[in-house]
Amino acid sequence: MSRLQLIATAPMGLEAIVARELKELGYTDMQVENGRVTFAGDLKDICRCNLWLRTSDRILVKMGEFPATTFDELFEGTKALPWQDWIPVDGEFPVEGRSHHSQLSSVPACQGIVKKAIVEKLKQSYRKDWFPENGARYVIEVNLLKDVALLTLDTTGPALHKRGYRKLVTEAPIKETMAAALLQLSRWNASRPLYDPCCGSGTILIEAALMGWNIAPGLRRSFPSEHWRVIPEQLWNEAREEAYDSVRDDEPLQLTGSDIDPQAIEVAKAAAKSAGFGREITFQVLPAAKAKPEGEYGCLITNPPYGERLSEKAEVEKLIRQLGHTAAQLPTWSFFAISPTKQFEHYFGRKADKRRKLFNGRIECQYYQFLGPLPPRKR
């Protein structure tokens, strides 16, 4: 199969982080757009990127893109694409859809047209009039934006934030992809202590452990494209072998989390154990005011409560003041917090060295970065 156009979808605000990850994996021919990074690759790269990308939501195959202001244009444009190269005669191929600022605004109608066009193309290719759709799953999406149709094939299935280690969740967990982004935007690395005083279900710490030991985040889960005939099983085996060979589990980790909620700590411990870090991450039930990070030149990275109800706002303000007080006691540490609180710096008692707008789910936040000194270089 010739060179493919692949798309790594990205949560709003994380496109540059996804692009940086792709560059570190060796991909250079890429285009960064809102919500996605398009890059050149081949079948083996579908396997590698699903296993390795920490901040992307999913990996799509770009089947085609064309103007579509009428149903006829959508039908003919879809039918012209090489669906028979991907979907076998027994393949299941549901169609999902989205439409924004386009004349073809009825998503169900667009899904129906795309499905019909693909069926017609497969009829021509396989000389059949009916398809059982009882084989491997090939989810197709038609995305209409400003009268341009983008047709993609989803290789990932459940989004990439579903690593497989979190069986239980707390009331407002942060997604694994966002937690990984917070770490990558910080100054933390495996040689520095990491503390989260509002750790909830422990996601930031577990993602740090995966990064510290260079463990591919998708290594313990499966993907629908593993069952696609077009991708040889050997390519998946090679990608997993590469990932296993890259693990550095002899790296000492200094990861600690605390939370005032005992139930959250139990959930965090279970998730860490499931991820294989039951001994590497220390959890304790503790209010943020009593948090005492140990070590020098560490990083405190946290997703504190947002106080969405009016009655909680005073508690959130108090918590931020406590974080600021802790920072004052730790001059060699760097502090990072994601929060929608507009007056965060005021309550923290210090202006952030850097700020970055991020969306935690649909909530617009700022990632506040209070930078301490870098560790002295080892001779």
Side-chain angles (χ1 to χ4, degrees):
M1 185 172 287
S2 60
R3 203 79 168 139
L4 304 173
Q5 284 289 97
L6 301 175
I7 296 172
T9 66
M12 194 182 304
L14 297 187
E15 296 90 348
I17 309 301
V18 172
R20 188 170 73 186
E21 281 198 80
L22 285 166
K23 188 175 180 180
E24 288 172 355
L25 286 172
Y27 304 98
T28 54
D29 184 6
M30 67 180 80
Q31 181 179 356
V32 182
E33 303 170 85
N34 285 338
R36 65 182 186 239
V37 181
T38 304
F39 63 104
D42 52 31
L43 292 175
K44 78 173 186 299
D45 299 311
I46 291 175
C47 312
R48 289 189 75 227
C49 292
N50 271 306
L51 291 176
W52 277 106
L53 288 181
R54 300 181 190 278
T55 58
S56 175
D57 282 329
R58 57 186 69 246
I59 305 300
L60 311 175
V61 178
K62 182 178 178 180
M63 295 296 296
E65 193 171 25
F66 50 85
T69 56
T70 67
F71 287 130
D72 281 344
E73 288 178 338
L74 181 61
F75 181 89
E76 295 300 333
T78 301
K79 188 180 174 186
L81 300 176
W83 300 105
Q84 74 284 354
D85 291 350
W86 294 88
I87 305 173
V89 70
D90 64 343
E92 179 189 2
F93 51 103
V95 178
E96 299 176 354
R98 290 184 289 177
S99 178
H100 299 284
H101 309 297
S102 296
Q103 294 181 52
L104 299 179
S105 57
S106 171
V107 172
C110 292
Q111 289 172 266
I113 292 293
V114 168
K115 180 80 174 186
K116 184 178 178 182
I118 296 171
V119 168
E120 289 303 311
K121 183 59 175 275
L122 296 183
K123 280 182 179 179
Q124 290 179 358
S125 301
Y126 294 124
R127 311 287 184 190
K128 290 175 70 74
D129 291 326
W130 181 79
F131 300 95
E133 295 198 52
N134 57 4
R137 187 173 171 85
Y138 301 76
V139 177
I140 296 149
E141 182 176 87
V142 51
N143 186 1
L144 286 149
L145 178 62
K146 296 180 180 178
D147 296 323
V148 174
L150 171 66
L151 276 291
T152 58
L153 201 54
D154 178 14
T155 74
T156 301
L160 288 172
H161 78 269
K162 296 188 176 180
R163 318 285 206 218
Y165 61 74
R166 193 160 68 177
K167 310 301 181 188
L168 303 169
V169 295
T170 50
E171 187 176 340
I174 191 170
K175 277 188 177 180
E176 291 84 341
T177 42
M178 177 58 76
L182 299 184
L183 288 156
Q184 292 191 34
L185 288 167
S186 77
R187 286 182 166 182
W188 180 80
N189 60 56
S191 68
R192 303 180 70 171
L194 175 63
Y195 193 99
D196 182 356
C198 309
C199 69
S201 53
T203 308
I204 291 174
L205 295 159
I206 296 170
E207 289 298 313
L210 290 170
M211 289 171 60
W213 280 4
N214 199 40
I215 297 174
L219 196 51
R220 299 181 62 185
R221 57 162 286 179
S222 60
F223 306 91
S225 49
E226 290 182 65
H227 306 290
W228 292 3
R229 293 176 195 172
V230 70
I231 304 179
E233 184 181 357
Q234 181 187 351
L235 293 184
W236 278 105
N237 291 339
E238 288 173 357
R240 289 188 183 278
E241 258 183 57
E242 176 196 14
Y244 279 116
D245 290 343
S246 301
V247 173
R248 299 193 300 264
D249 56 4
D250 56 346
E251 184 82 31
L253 300 173
Q254 306 166 75
L255 308 175
T256 308
S258 59
D259 199 285
I260 197 170
D261 181 1
Q263 187 177 353
I265 292 298
E266 290 305 310
V267 171
K269 286 179 177 179
K273 185 177 180 181
S274 175
F277 302 109
R279 295 180 179 179
E280 283 69 32
I281 307 174
T282 302
F283 293 104
Q284 52 189 329
V285 179
L286 204 66
K290 293 187 177 180
K292 292 182 179 178
E294 296 181 358
E296 295 288 319
Y297 302 100
C299 292
L300 186 150
I301 305 176
T302 194
N303 173 40
Y306 292 176
E308 294 174 45
R309 290 188 288 270
L310 192 62
S311 60
E312 298 171 338
K313 291 195 179 295
E315 286 298 312
V316 170
E317 292 169 10
K318 182 180 176 183
L319 173 59
I320 298 170
R321 290 183 193 277
Q322 289 166 345
L323 292 175
H325 178 72
T326 302
Q329 309 301 311
L330 297 166
T332 67
W333 279 59
S334 295
F335 287 72
F336 305 86
I338 182 171
S339 174
T341 304
K342 304 293 185 185
Q343 295 288 94
F344 189 98
E345 291 162 303
H346 170 72
Y347 300 130
F348 193 84
R350 176 178 155 192
K351 188 172 176 61
D353 297 289
K354 289 183 179 181
R355 288 171 55 169
R356 187 185 184 113
K357 184 166 77 171
L358 296 175
F359 285 83
N360 189 6
R362 296 187 177 184
I363 302 173
E364 182 179 327
C365 298
Q366 291 287 335
Y367 189 38
Y368 296 96
Q369 303 168 57
F370 305 90
L371 305 178
L374 291 170
R377 289 186 179 182
K378 294 180 180 178
R379 293 186 178 180

